Amino acid sequence: MKLNEIYLSVILGAFMLLSLGSLSVAAPSPLPGKEPGTFLTDFNFSGGTGDGYILYQVRWGDHRSFERVVVEFRERDTGAQIPELPRMEVEKDEYPARVAIRLAGVPTRAKEIYTVRHPFSKSRMLSGLNLFDSCGGGQFLTLVPSRPLEYRIFTILHPARLVIDVRPTKTVPSDKVRYFLRTFPLYGDQVCAFKKAALKEGITGRLLTDASGNTFGEAGVFDRPEDAFGAKTRLRELGKRFSLVVKARGIMETPEVLP
């Protein structure tokens, strides 16, 4: 083998090791199947194999040193308890900080899934849980903290439940401001229309809620304002349909209400 070929092989091998290392860090971990003792500030879990289930109920409880949210699932046709978990992904999201729960192929049967009308009205740590229709792909839930938190996440069967415990953390969140390309409030069919139009532009549209509970879409997160305005220029067709605007936000800030 020639010397330059040896050098090339070494470089390619090192590149592959670096790539595999970054992939292993980014890859989600299996959902814990029993209550772990460790609270986390960052996480990315996935698991579940079952189909044919519905999002049945969301419960909240105050346990003094921590608060608990329980997401329960039932069999879609009979409403019976189920022995398996539906497919789901649970990860820590940022700007704003929240827990993102993606439920593939899981509809919700009831319009009101909470056990009480305002389950988070007495919470010292959570401002609410938002439920979005994933436009044919199941449900998308976001659990929104009102202060910096750490999380303990696990699952229970019979019935199938996802459990999220939260408690305050001493970890200081980043004070960095980032810039967002977002829409005005979306109503009805506009939500799915935005997601489809964003995919057509080659991006994944993100759904959020503002302080008034309105749903809106975001078409990008940027470190510099000039990058956000540059993206707005490139996404001209999307902007024509949804009037994209650039807004700045910190990691714990609630998105502001647009007029």
Side-chain angles (χ1 to χ4, degrees):
M1 182 180 292
K2 296 180 180 179
L3 187 59
N4 58 348
E5 292 177 340
I6 295 174
Y7 288 152
L8 181 60
S9 298
V10 171
I11 293 172
L12 287 175
F15 176 78
M16 290 179 66
L17 287 173
L18 289 172
S19 300
L20 288 172
S22 61
L23 285 173
S24 63
V25 171
S29 301
L31 279 163
K34 60 180 181 179
E35 181 174 339
T38 305
F39 279 79
L40 304 171
T41 54
D42 292 291
F43 49 86
N44 185 359
F45 298 119
S46 69
T49 58
D51 291 311
Y53 306 140
I54 62 167
L55 172 59
Y56 176 73
Q57 195 176 78
V58 176
R59 301 188 293 275
W60 169 86
D62 189 348
H63 296 256
R64 294 189 179 183
S65 63
F66 68 93
E67 295 180 6
R68 172 167 290 180
V69 176
V70 179
V71 182
E72 183 176 331
F73 307 93
R74 294 289 180 97
E75 207 278 330
R76 182 181 302 179
D77 296 325
T78 67
Q81 296 182 3
I82 54 177
E84 296 180 5
L85 290 170
R87 295 192 306 276
M88 69 178 78
E89 298 176 7
V90 185
E91 64 179 337
K92 175 72 175 296
D93 206 352
E94 291 188 335
Y95 292 90
R98 61 182 186 173
V99 180
I101 307 168
R102 293 174 177 83
L103 303 171
V106 178
T108 176
R109 178 176 295 170
K111 188 174 182 180
E112 180 60 70
I113 62 172
Y114 302 117
T115 53
V116 295
R117 186 167 181 81
H118 300 291
F120 300 104
S121 60
K122 297 181 180 180
S123 173
R124 297 168 288 114
M125 307 178 198
L126 300 166
S127 62
L129 185 143
N130 300 313
L131 176 64
F132 303 98
D133 189 332
S134 291
C135 306
Q139 300 294 322
F140 175 48
L141 288 74
T142 58
L143 185 64
V144 184
S146 57
R147 58 191 294 185
L149 300 175
E150 55 187 10
Y151 304 83
R152 178 173 60 190
I153 298 172
F154 58 100
T155 57
I156 306 175
L157 297 177
H158 308 292
R161 285 156 288 171
L162 170 68
V163 182
I164 302 175
D165 293 341
V166 301
R167 70 181 185 187
T169 178
K170 296 180 180 179
T171 302
V172 179
S174 170
D175 60 356
K176 183 177 181 179
V177 172
R178 303 185 77 181
Y179 301 86
F180 303 82
L181 192 56
R182 58 167 289 192
T183 70
F184 283 80
L186 303 173
Y187 302 102
D189 294 339
Q190 290 181 321
V191 174
C192 292
F194 167 75
K195 292 195 69 176
K196 292 177 182 177
L199 285 175
K200 191 175 180 180
E201 294 278 2
I203 61 174
T204 300
R206 202 163 67 131
L207 297 178
L208 294 94
T209 55
D210 60 23
S212 296
N214 297 310
T215 299
F216 62 91
E218 283 189 345
V221 182
F222 307 91
D223 290 330
R224 304 182 304 168
E226 53 265 38
D227 296 332
F229 282 104
K232 182 179 179 181
T233 301
R234 293 192 300 274
L235 300 173
R236 186 173 286 108
E237 292 302 316
L238 188 65
K240 287 180 181 178
R241 294 187 61 183
F242 298 100
S243 301
L244 298 176
V245 295
V246 175
K247 292 291 180 180
R249 190 167 68 242
I251 191 169
M252 293 300 300
E253 291 180 347
T254 301
E256 66 179 271
V257 179
L258 293 180

